Amino acid sequence: MTLEAFADTIVPGEKRSVDDRAVAGAAAGGGAVASGAVELLETPAVGLATALGDIVDALNGHALEHAAEHGLALDGSVPPFVALPFAHRTALVQTLTGPAHQQRDIWVALALFSNMAFDTAAHLHTAEAIEAGHPGLATLGFAKPDADGVWRFPDYSYRRQLANVHPNTTASGSPA
Amino acid sequence: MSSAERTDVLVVGSGFGGAIAAYHLAAGGARVVVLERGPWLTADDFDHDYLLGSSYTRIFDFVVGDGMSLLGGNCVGGGSVVFFAAMPRAPGFVFERKGSIGRRMWPSTLTRDTLDPWYDRVAEALPVSQQGWADVTYSGGLFAAACDHAGRTANPVPVAIDTARCTNCNWMMSGCRFDAKRSLLLNYLPAALAHGAQIRPMHEVQRLSRNDDGGYRVHYNVIDDEDYRAQTGCGAIDAKIVVLAAGAGATPVILQRSEATLGAMPSAVGRYFSGNGERLNTAIVNEERAGELLGLSRADGSVYTANQIGRGPVVASWDNLDGALPEFSRFSLEQLYFPPGFGTILAQVPDAAGPTWFGVEKKELVRRWRSWLTIFTMTEDDNEGVFGPPPPTGNAVRISQQMLGRGPIRYHPTANTLGGWAESDAVVRDIMERDGLARVMPWTNDVVGAYTVHPLASCRIGDDPRTSALDDRHELRNHPGIFVTDGSAVPGALTVNPALTIAALAERAMPGIVRAAQQRGVNVRYGAPAPDGATSGRSGVLPLVPTLVHE
């Protein structure tokens, strides 16, 4: 649930149900969580899977510190990071990924993979992800492949000169 | 000394610097072995797929350092397999650059004029083609029209692409499954193989040691096919000549790790690294305004919405490549496509009230992805990159099974570099925001530092031993018989895509390497034609050969 809340802070999405606590519902449409961020983070190839338990503990520790600093009373029925209001989750992630944070590498990595789940569906075959309506690729408007699963764009050019070329262009087509 | 396999020439890496060396030395008669840390894939293996473990992650390397992230190839063919194949020559003023060392960075023997015959050689070999406006993609066309609207020029760039085969799929970073991109898999490497060179994939060179006969022993690990963090073996090969071409992010690391056995390295090994002054801006195009201002329309009635369509950079704007301008103020601009992931994560939201690169506003920006136009800037940076102590193996501590690692590069941009980025950002903004055409923001440098797809200069040529690791024939100072021919040999940022310059310098280094091999008893001669047998490039350089060999 904590990882879901983190991923939802990176690419927010709509709640999966009315009592969804991890997904804050800060944006319309599916976000990183619906796109499979946790599945991606748990994929051994990513290299973070065995560390995720420690990462969750650390994130919740930072959430408790953040809550104390800001005088926030957290609902104890969910992990501290999940209990943070969305704006505070966002502020905390900004701090954790900021240039000054000692452990920023780990938080940046977590953010990058959360983003990748949404933008590239890196845990799925791309063509299959599109076919299944993957929320991130759909949000981008990523085009469907041809029937053989390969992309081709035969319509690709305005087919006319749209600027003057540089006067010092050499015969090889390079700058002088 | 225990017995090890022997060869005449050991080439480390199979990108431009390695493939060109392997071809010429094998064609000249030498026994050549090429060790490549990545896999050996060909057209049928190149996937249109972002799934981890597809060709996208197998052949690409992303190393995060302190203040700089490096992107590069990790496969047989090296950068040529994953790159965008833009092949301009470096403008003449580049060779006169002084950087911050107070003297010309390039060897006195090198100018645009003296390099042109070598550029011609590579252009014939790949080959490099000029594009017409009918080849220019929608994104390139939009950028050209925007430049024109802003009173600037714009050029279709020379490319190593067979545009008749190209499907404009924009999956170039995963390798070209149509063999439209003229990577080294289609020219120098098959020609080297035909002349008997051996290429061994998944062989990552760790260090060199010196043998009693004056040759070198090259120590390597064999990397697991799927999990690059794992090693499945190790070994060593003895060679009379070593050509290092592991890439500017790896060559200096191998040499640093070899210091314990080879002795002190020149001080410029692992210093003066340049990221080619690279910078990216993402413009969010106002489709309606683009139609009104630029008169653009597609057959389906839309104006642009074509971010996904194309083949990397096709149009460049060279108005700021003016040798009369002060150093650090000269740069070129190119329209570019990066796939989602690399191409989306660092893009920033204009006028964001909250975080610029993630969160609610970023998601709204991503909704307009089809209207994005990415502008790539290549400026003059200050060679401020320095490599720290080498990691235990390879050039990075690998985090993921493939692609992602943490490397020893440190890069803290100087005021000169920051000034160039600011000037170029302002020009990009002027072009793309003029009259409401688009909104623009540079990519953030706060997440993974600055970034480069063209690492250079970490083991560079020059005349001054204090600021260059190699002499003007690319031989490592004080370590005869070791040559470096990859991007690390280029003295500094080029203000354009560097592949053709790296390749031309490698071609130019060959007569000297062949001569050194001869002096070590190898029966080899210089003078192979282009890989397909064409000879006009060779005719152009033969008169220059006597100036490039030391007796």
Side-chain angles (χ1 to χ4, degrees):
Chain A
M1 192 185 263
T2 303
L3 287 176
E4 286 187 337
F6 183 94
D8 183 63
T9 310
I10 301 302
V11 188
E14 62 195 17
K15 284 182 179 289
R16 293 162 291 184
S17 63
V18 287
D19 55 355
D20 195 338
R21 296 292 302 271
V23 174
V33 175
S35 295
V38 175
E39 291 97 307
L40 179 60
L41 288 166
E42 289 176 345
T43 301
V46 165
L48 297 177
T50 57
L52 288 177
D54 291 342
I55 289 172
V56 164
D57 290 346
L59 183 57
N60 282 317
H62 287 302
L64 285 173
E65 288 172 20
H66 180 91
E69 280 172 28
H70 293 82
L72 301 173
L74 297 181
D75 172 2
S77 67
V78 292
F81 187 80
V82 178
L84 286 177
F86 184 78
H88 283 277
R89 293 182 188 177
T90 301
L92 177 54
V93 170
Q94 277 187 287
T95 302
L96 296 176
T97 56
H101 198 273
Q102 292 289 317
Q103 280 90 42
R104 69 183 306 268
D105 274 11
I106 198 75
W107 307 116
V108 165
L110 208 60
L112 295 183
F113 283 107
S114 299
N115 229 320
M116 277 174 68
F118 183 80
D119 289 0
T120 71
H123 55 304
L124 299 169
H125 285 294
T126 307
E128 293 176 11
I130 290 171
E131 190 62 32
H134 181 269
L137 293 170
T139 301
L140 266 74
F142 201 85
K144 290 182 180 177
D146 289 348
D148 60 356
V150 171
W151 277 259
R152 298 176 187 83
F153 295 106
D155 170 28
Y156 65 90
S157 176
Y158 297 112
R159 297 186 178 279
R160 60 190 171 93
Q161 181 164 355
L162 290 161
N164 294 315
V165 300
H166 196 281
N168 295 338
T169 305
T170 65
S172 67
S174 285
Chain B
M1 192 170 74
S2 60
S3 66
E5 182 183 353
R6 290 174 178 276
T7 187
D8 293 329
V9 180
L10 191 291
V11 179
V12 183
S14 59
F16 283 103
I20 288 171
Y23 168 59
H24 281 286
L25 287 152
R31 293 177 300 159
V32 176
V33 174
V34 181
L35 300 182
E36 163 57 52
R37 67 175 176 175
W40 192 345
L41 275 59
T42 57
D44 289 343
D45 305 315
F46 296 134
D47 307 306
H48 285 191
D49 204 338
Y50 296 129
L51 178 67
L52 297 180
S54 64
S55 66
Y56 185 54
T57 60
R58 292 175 71 194
I59 66 177
F60 213 86
D61 204 43
F62 179 49
V63 174
V64 180
D66 170 10
M68 172 64 75
S69 293
L70 279 57
L71 289 86
N74 181 67
C75 57
V76 172
S80 81
V81 176
V82 298
F83 80 154
F84 292 137
M87 290 297 214
R89 302 179 188 207
F93 68 79
V94 157
F95 300 87
E96 308 303 322
R97 288 193 60 201
K98 292 184 175 176
S100 290
I101 63 174
R103 57 170 293 169
R104 200 172 180 274
M105 293 199 293
W106 287 74
S108 59
T109 49
L110 268 162
T111 64
R112 168 67 180 270
D113 285 345
T114 61
L115 196 57
D116 260 332
W118 303 98
Y119 278 132
D120 290 340
R121 240 206 132 176
V122 180
E124 178 181 66
L126 295 176
V128 176
S129 311
Q130 297 192 47
Q131 302 181 94
W133 286 96
D135 299 316
V136 167
T137 59
Y138 287 125
S139 54
L142 174 65
F143 181 56
C147 287
D148 186 66
H149 179 68
R152 297 173 62 90
T153 66
N155 284 50
V157 295
V159 291
I161 295 172
D162 180 346
T163 52
R165 283 173 171 262
C166 179
T167 65
N168 292 286
C169 69
N170 253 337
W171 283 91
M172 298 179 88
M173 280 169 64
S174 301
C176 182
R177 62 182 293 127
F178 307 107
D179 273 343
K181 176 159 60 178
R182 292 161 174 156
S183 78
L184 296 162
L185 297 172
L186 303 180
N187 36 66
Y188 285 101
L189 287 174
L193 290 169
H195 285 286
Q198 297 179 37
I199 302 174
R200 299 185 191 166
M202 309 311 293
H203 282 56
E204 185 175 67
V205 170
Q206 305 302 321
R207 65 186 177 88
L208 317 181
S209 56
R210 186 174 287 108
N211 290 334
D212 294 339
D213 64 359
Y216 294 92
R217 180 163 290 186
V218 179
H219 304 262
Y220 61 82
N221 289 343
V222 182
I223 306 298
D224 183 78
D225 273 335
E226 184 180 353
D227 187 349
Y228 297 174
R229 296 169 299 194
Q231 288 120 36
T232 60
C234 62
I237 301 180
D238 289 341
K240 294 169 180 167
I241 294 283
V242 176
V243 178
L244 275 175
T251 286
V253 180
I254 293 169
L255 289 174
Q256 287 174 319
R257 194 181 286 120
S258 303
E259 256 190 323
T261 48
L262 289 185
M265 285 294 133
S267 62
V269 169
R271 295 182 190 275
Y272 303 109
F273 171 91
S274 164
N276 203 35
E278 293 179 354
R279 181 85 166 161
L280 286 148
N281 275 259
T282 290
I284 319 303
V285 175
N286 180 325
E287 297 278 340
E288 189 179 343
R289 289 295 284 158
E292 294 165 3
L293 291 169
L294 309 178
L296 300 176
S297 64
R298 294 174 53 182
D300 64 3
S302 63
V303 173
Y304 170 58
T305 57
N307 183 33
Q308 192 180 339
I309 300 171
R311 51 178 189 281
V314 292
V315 165
S317 187
W318 293 331
D319 297 298
N320 299 83
L321 295 183
D322 178 353
L325 293 170
E327 194 164 350
F328 303 108
S329 292
R330 302 167 297 198
F331 52 87
S332 70
L333 307 174
E334 277 175 2
Q335 137 284 336
L336 184 65
Y337 170 87
F338 270 112
F342 283 122
T344 46
I345 286 169
L346 302 179
Q348 298 190 90
V349 180
D351 305 322
T356 59
W357 63 275
F358 71 88
V360 174
E361 293 165 286
K362 178 65 179 283
K363 187 178 181 185
E364 293 309 307
L365 193 79
V366 167
R367 280 189 209 284
R368 299 181 62 192
W369 181 73
R370 293 193 303 155
S371 294
W372 287 21
L373 180 71
T374 301
I375 311 297
F376 184 43
T377 305
M378 288 163 279
T379 70
E380 298 168 289
D381 75 354
D382 215 355
N383 294 86
E384 54 266 69
V386 178
F387 283 75
T393 66
N395 71 322
V397 174
R398 292 186 182 276
I399 297 167
S400 302
Q401 278 192 359
Q402 299 168 3
M403 195 157 73
L404 179 63
R406 192 77 163 83
I409 182 76
R410 293 195 307 272
Y411 189 94
H412 299 290
T414 68
N416 286 330
T417 299
L418 292 170
W421 287 343
E423 281 189 50
S424 61
D425 285 349
V427 170
V428 172
R429 198 176 313 119
D430 177 53
I431 296 168
M432 295 308 303
E433 294 200 340
R434 189 174 287 218
D435 298 320
L437 175 62
R439 291 302 317 278
V440 179
M441 277 286 277
W443 288 16
T444 178
N445 282 9
D446 291 339
V447 180
V448 293
Y451 40 79
T452 180
V453 294
H454 298 134
L456 300 171
S458 50
C459 189
R460 62 185 184 172
I461 53 174
D463 290 333
D464 175 6
R466 291 169 305 163
T467 59
S468 60
L470 314 173
D471 65 22
D472 82 326
R473 296 172 310 127
H474 294 242
E475 193 166 26
L476 183 66
R477 297 182 188 282
N478 306 320
H479 298 275
I482 298 176
F483 292 83
V484 176
T485 55
D486 58 18
S488 57
V490 175
L494 298 174
T495 69
V496 295
N497 319 67
L500 194 71
T501 301
I502 294 168
L505 288 172
E507 279 279 5
R508 179 183 170 276
M510 290 308 131
I513 297 176
V514 167
R515 186 73 190 110
Q518 290 169 341
Q519 288 166 340
R520 286 165 179 258
V522 180
N523 184 13
V524 59
R525 64 189 188 87
Y526 177 78
D532 69 353
T535 57
S536 75
R538 179 177 63 183
S539 301
V541 301
L542 281 179
L544 305 172
V545 168
T547 66
L548 296 167
V549 294
H550 287 190
E551 297 306 330

